[in-house]
C-alpha cells in the first residue's frame, strides 16, 4: 500500500511541469493578438481617443431636453356637443344690497339736528363739530359717525369721560359739548336707590352721581344732567369764556314727560337754566358765552 502511494506521488510530480508549460503556450498567442490590435490604429495614422467611449445612461439619468411649445388652435365644437362640453353655469344670484351704516339713534339724531341749527354751515370739513357726553345705556355707540364725537359711560359723567371729552374739545376743537340724558340711563336710576349690595367697582362708578335718594326717575335724570353740565362749565371755563366752546345740557324726552314726545329738550346753556332765556338764546343762536355775556352771538337772525 505504501509503495503504491509513493508511485502515485511521483507521477504527479512529473505531470505538473508539463501542464504549466502547455498553459503558457496557450496564453501567448492571445497576448500577441491584443498587442497587434492596439498597435493597428497607430500604424494606420489614426490616434486613439483619450476618453473612453460614451456610455449609455439609464432613462432616469438622461438630461432633460428643453420643452417644445406647441400651439393648439381652439377647436370649435359641434352645436350638439357644446352643452355637454361646457361646465355647468352657476345660477345667477341677485345682487345683495350695499351694506348701510346703522341708523343713528333718535337721541343722537336730535343732537346732530340741534348742532346743525346752532352752527353755521361748513362745507368740505369732515372734522367733528359736536361732542356728545351720553349714558352708555341711552345712546348706542354705532351712532357716533360723521361730525359727531360720542363719549359714553354709565350716567354720562364727566369724571369718567374726561379723557375723551378733553380730546374732542382741546385737540379736535369741537365748538359744542352736549351732555345728553334720557330715561334709559340705568346708572342714574340705580344711583337714586341703595346700591350697597353691588360690587365695589360698580359702587365707585355710581358714587359721583349725586342725586336724591328715593326721588322720581325724571327728577334724578335732570339733577344729574345739571350737575354734569356745571362740572363741564367749570372744567372747560377757559374755552367757554373765550367763546370757543358752549356746554349744553339736553334731555331726550322719549315718553313726552316734558312736552312733545321724542323731543330734545335743552335744560341749560353754559349754566343758564332759565327756560325763557334758553328759548331766546336758541332762537338767536347765541349759545356761546351765554352765561357770562363776554362774547357775541353767533348770528343775530332768528329761526
Amino acid at each position: 500500500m505504501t509503495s503504491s502511494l509513493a508511485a502515485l506521488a511521483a507521477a504527479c510530480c512529473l505531470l505538473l511541469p508539463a501542464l504549466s508549460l502547455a498553459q503558457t503556450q496557450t496564453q501567448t498567442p492571445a497576448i500577441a493578438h491584443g498587442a497587434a490590435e492596439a498597435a493597428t490604429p497607430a500604424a494606420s495614422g489614426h490616434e486613439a481617443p483619450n476618453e473612453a467611449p460614451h456610455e449609455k445612461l439609464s432613462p432616469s439619468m438622461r438630461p432633460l431636453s428643453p420643452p417644445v411649445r406647441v400651439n393648439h388652435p381652439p377647436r370649435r365644437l359641434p352645436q350638439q356637443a357644446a352643452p355637454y362640453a361646457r361646465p355647468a353655469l352657476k345660477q345667477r344670484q341677485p345682487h345683495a344690497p350695499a351694506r348701510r351704516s346703522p341708523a343713528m339713534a333718535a337721541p343722537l339724531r336730535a343732537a346732530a339736528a340741534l348742532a346743525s341749527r346752532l352752527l353755521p354751515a361748513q362745507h368740505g370739513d369732515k372734522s367733528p363739530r359736536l361732542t356728545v357726553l351720553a349714558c352708555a345705556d341711552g345712546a348706542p355707540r354705532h351712532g357716533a359717525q360723521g361730525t359727531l364725537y360720542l363719549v359714553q359711560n354709565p350716567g354720562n359723567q364727566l369724571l369718567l369721560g374726561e379723557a375723551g371729552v378733553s380730546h374732542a374739545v382741546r385737540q379736535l376743537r369741537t365748538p359744542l359739548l352736549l351732555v345728553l340724558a334720557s330715561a334709559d340711563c340705568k346708572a342714574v336710576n340705580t344711583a337714586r336707590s341703595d346700591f350697597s349690595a353691588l360690587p365695589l367697582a360698580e359702587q365707585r362708578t355710581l358714587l359721583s352721581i349725586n342725586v336724591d335718594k328715593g326721588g322720581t326717575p325724571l327728577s334724578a335724570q335732570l339733577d344729574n344732567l345739571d350737575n354734569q353740565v356745571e362740572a363741564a362749565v367749570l372744567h372747560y371755563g377757559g374755552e367757554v369764556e373765550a367763546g370757543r366752546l358752549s356746554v349744553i345740557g339736553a334731555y331726550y324726552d322719549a315718553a313726552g314727560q316734558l312736552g312733545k314726545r321724542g323731543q330734545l329738550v335743552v335744560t341749560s346753556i353754559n349754566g343758564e337754566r332759565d327756560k325763557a332765556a334758553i328759548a331766546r338764546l336758541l332762537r338767536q343762536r347765541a349759545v356761546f358765552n351765554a352765561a357770562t355775556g363776554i362774547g357775541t352771538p353767533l348770528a343775530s337772525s332768528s329761526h
Side-chain angles (χ1 to χ4, degrees):
M1 184 71 180
T2 305
S3 60
S4 61
L5 291 176
L8 180 62
C12 291
C13 292
L14 294 174
L15 290 176
L16 283 176
L19 289 175
S20 60
L21 179 61
Q23 186 176 5
T24 305
Q25 293 177 355
T26 305
Q27 290 181 353
T28 303
I31 296 174
H33 180 70
E37 288 183 353
T40 301
S44 60
H46 298 284
E47 296 182 358
N50 296 329
E51 297 181 357
H54 180 72
E55 298 180 359
K56 292 185 178 181
L57 301 177
S58 61
S60 61
M61 309 239 343
R62 292 177 183 173
L64 297 177
S65 59
V68 179
R69 183 173 297 179
V70 180
N71 295 327
H72 296 283
R75 185 169 57 91
R76 196 167 185 177
L77 297 174
Q79 185 67 25
Q80 63 273 13
Y84 302 97
R86 295 174 184 172
L89 297 177
K90 295 183 180 180
Q91 295 182 355
R92 293 185 179 180
Q93 300 291 341
H95 293 286
R99 291 186 178 181
R100 298 180 181 178
S101 57
M104 186 176 291
L108 299 179
R109 214 167 38 239
L114 176 64
S116 63
R117 184 162 63 93
L118 296 177
L119 297 175
Q122 192 170 356
H123 302 287
D125 188 6
K126 298 299 182 180
S127 59
R129 308 179 67 196
L130 170 66
T131 302
V132 178
L133 177 60
C135 180
D137 301 319
R141 289 179 177 84
H142 62 247
Q145 295 179 0
T147 60
L148 186 147
Y149 189 93
L150 180 62
V151 180
Q152 289 183 276
N153 59 69
N156 46 272
Q157 304 179 59
L158 180 66
L159 182 63
L160 299 181
E162 181 181 349
V165 174
S166 296
H167 173 73
V169 171
R170 291 174 174 167
Q171 302 298 327
L172 303 180
R173 296 190 178 277
T174 56
L176 288 182
L177 170 58
L178 179 69
V179 184
L180 180 61
S182 64
D184 297 332
C185 186
K186 299 177 182 178
V188 176
N189 294 331
T190 305
R192 66 185 182 89
S193 60
D194 183 15
F195 53 85
S196 58
L198 295 178
L200 292 178
E202 297 185 24
Q203 292 187 35
R204 295 191 191 98
T205 303
L206 300 175
L207 285 176
S208 57
I209 301 177
N210 187 15
V211 294
D212 294 335
K213 301 292 183 180
T216 63
L218 179 60
S219 62
Q221 297 290 349
L222 294 178
D223 290 344
N224 178 64
L225 178 60
D226 292 338
N227 294 338
Q228 302 303 328
V229 170
E230 183 179 355
V233 171
L234 293 175
H235 190 77
Y236 303 107
E239 288 82 358
V240 173
E241 292 183 1
R244 296 194 301 268
L245 178 68
S246 179
V247 182
I248 299 176
Y251 178 81
Y252 183 74
D253 193 6
Q257 296 172 310
L258 299 179
K260 187 178 179 181
R261 185 176 182 178
Q263 185 180 11
L264 188 68
V265 180
V266 178
T267 59
S268 62
I269 300 177
N270 292 339
E272 179 61 60
R273 300 180 185 176
D274 184 69
K275 292 183 179 180
I278 290 174
R280 176 179 55 84
L281 293 173
L282 291 177
R283 190 168 55 250
Q284 296 178 353
R285 296 190 299 175
V287 295
F288 294 93
N289 296 319
T292 59
I294 297 176
T296 57
L298 191 65
S300 57
S301 61
S302 60
H303 266 288

